[in-house]
């Protein structure tokens, strides 16, 4: 089974300038994902897709990854990750299409090697799985605020946390997609979705300076 990792890293970011190459402990953010992907040793190919020449130049220090320049029209704020995946597929020869794409967003630097390996194992051992998402367990209570009033989503409220049944929240830590499903439905996630339970620390998604401060503390 041919499995490819794609790391989509556009240059623009409103919250943090050049976020994907923002240095944390003297290392560009994207390096955390690249290094873990390499260490997992489960990919036939690791590809960084970006519209930014600066990002592509910085990551070119890794000799065992490929870089693909992405058009700006699919790299703006409204662009979706699926657009980047299809662009990569167009650059690959049909005979070299992978069976599975594992998407690794560079904003999830605490993703573990074990999580990547487990995601690949899922596709190798479950032939009927179309896609995979990472999830974390929670026993929190959720609700909505309407007209200044909080309303629980659940009818029956269990006050003691330990007495509640766990629910699971999707994270953006890792996505997996069988290519035949991707091509047919033009979706990264759908069909028969496998939930890969991950450690809560891996759920950290870097969106603002507060997230960076959390990351620095966790890296200590």
């Amino acid at each position: 089974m041919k499995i490819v990792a794609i790391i989509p890293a556009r240059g623009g970011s409103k919250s943090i300038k050049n976020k994907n190459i923002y240095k944390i402990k003297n290392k560009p953010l994207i390096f955390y994902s690249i290094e873990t992907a390499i260490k997992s040793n489960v990919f036939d190919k690791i590809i960084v897709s970006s519209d930014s020449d600066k990002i592509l130049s910085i990551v070119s220090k890794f000799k065992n990854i490929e870089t693909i320049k992405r058009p700006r029209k699919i790299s703006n704020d409204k662009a979706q990750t699926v657009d980047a995946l299809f662009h990569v597929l167009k650059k690959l020869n049909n005979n070299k299409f992978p069976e599975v794409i594992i998407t690794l967003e560079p904003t999830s630097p605490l993703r573990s090697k074990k999580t990547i390996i487990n995601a690949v194992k899922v596709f190798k051992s479950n032939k009927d799985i179309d896609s995979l998402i990472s999830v974390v367990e929670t026993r929190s209570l959720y609700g909505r605020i309407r007209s200044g009033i909080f309303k629980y989503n659940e009818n029956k409220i269990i006050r003691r946390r330990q007495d509640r049944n766990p629910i699971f929240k999707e994270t953006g830590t890792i996505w997996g997609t069988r290519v035949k499903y991707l091509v047919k439905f033009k979706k990264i996630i759908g069909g028969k979705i496998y939930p890969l339970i991950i450690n809560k620390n891996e759920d950290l998604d870097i969106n603002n300076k507060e997230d960076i401060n959390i990351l620095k503390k966790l890296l200590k």
Side-chain angles (χ1 to χ4, degrees):
M1 178 179 289
K2 188 174 182 181
I3 300 179
V4 167
I6 296 180
I7 302 175
R10 69 186 186 89
S13 175
K14 292 182 178 179
S15 57
I16 303 172
K17 187 177 180 181
N18 297 319
K19 178 172 64 176
N20 288 321
I21 51 175
Y22 187 95
K23 285 195 175 183
I24 300 169
K25 287 190 170 291
N26 297 316
K27 184 189 298 186
L29 179 62
I30 193 173
F31 279 24
Y32 289 89
S33 292
I34 292 174
E35 289 173 353
T36 307
I38 292 171
K39 289 175 184 176
S40 71
N41 198 32
V42 292
F43 297 117
D44 295 282
K45 197 184 295 284
I46 299 171
I47 299 171
V48 172
S49 164
S50 181
D51 62 311
S52 166
D53 289 327
K54 187 173 184 179
I55 290 176
L56 295 176
S57 175
I58 287 174
V59 303
S60 66
K61 74 178 288 288
F62 294 95
K63 303 305 179 184
N64 42 357
I65 69 163
E66 292 187 19
T67 58
I68 291 181
K69 180 73 178 289
R70 193 195 318 171
R72 291 198 178 274
K73 65 180 180 180
I74 58 169
S75 304
N76 56 36
D77 289 342
K78 295 182 180 179
Q80 299 183 30
T81 303
V82 69
D83 299 325
L85 301 195
F86 268 104
H87 180 255
V88 170
L89 287 178
K90 286 179 181 179
K91 292 293 183 179
L92 298 176
N93 185 294
N94 283 342
N95 295 326
K96 296 181 180 179
F97 267 19
E99 290 183 52
V100 172
I101 289 175
I102 300 294
T103 304
L104 306 174
E105 294 283 357
T107 49
S108 295
L110 296 181
R111 177 194 308 104
S112 69
K113 180 177 74 171
K114 180 181 178 181
T115 287
I116 293 176
I117 292 171
N118 286 341
V120 169
K121 284 181 178 178
V122 167
F123 282 100
K124 288 186 174 181
S125 59
N126 297 274
K127 301 297 183 182
D128 60 337
I129 294 299
D130 297 306
S131 57
L132 172 146
I133 59 172
S134 51
V135 298
V136 291
E137 179 183 317
T138 178
R139 294 176 188 262
S140 299
L141 290 173
Y142 293 92
R144 300 176 186 275
I145 297 176
R146 292 177 178 168
S147 301
I149 303 298
F150 183 82
K151 296 287 186 180
Y152 288 104
N153 284 341
E154 299 179 28
N155 293 323
K156 183 180 179 182
I157 306 304
I158 300 173
R159 298 305 332 161
R160 280 171 33 102
R161 180 183 177 279
Q162 58 268 40
D163 293 336
R164 300 173 198 153
N165 290 324
I167 58 176
F168 296 88
K169 182 191 78 168
E170 178 186 355
T171 78
T173 306
I174 190 167
W175 298 328
T177 319
R178 209 173 289 278
V179 170
K180 64 180 182 182
Y181 178 87
L182 175 67
V183 171
K184 184 175 181 180
F185 296 100
K186 295 179 171 57
K187 292 181 179 179
I188 296 176
I189 301 299
K192 293 183 179 179
I193 306 171
Y194 186 94
L196 183 68
I197 301 173
I198 64 170
N199 183 288
K200 287 186 179 180
N201 280 346
E202 295 183 71
D203 181 26
L204 181 63
D205 185 27
I206 305 300
N207 287 302
N208 50 50
K209 290 291 181 69
E210 184 179 8
D211 295 329
I212 288 177
N213 291 333
I214 294 171
L215 175 59
K216 288 178 179 178
K217 290 178 182 178
L218 290 172
L219 288 174
K220 287 183 180 179

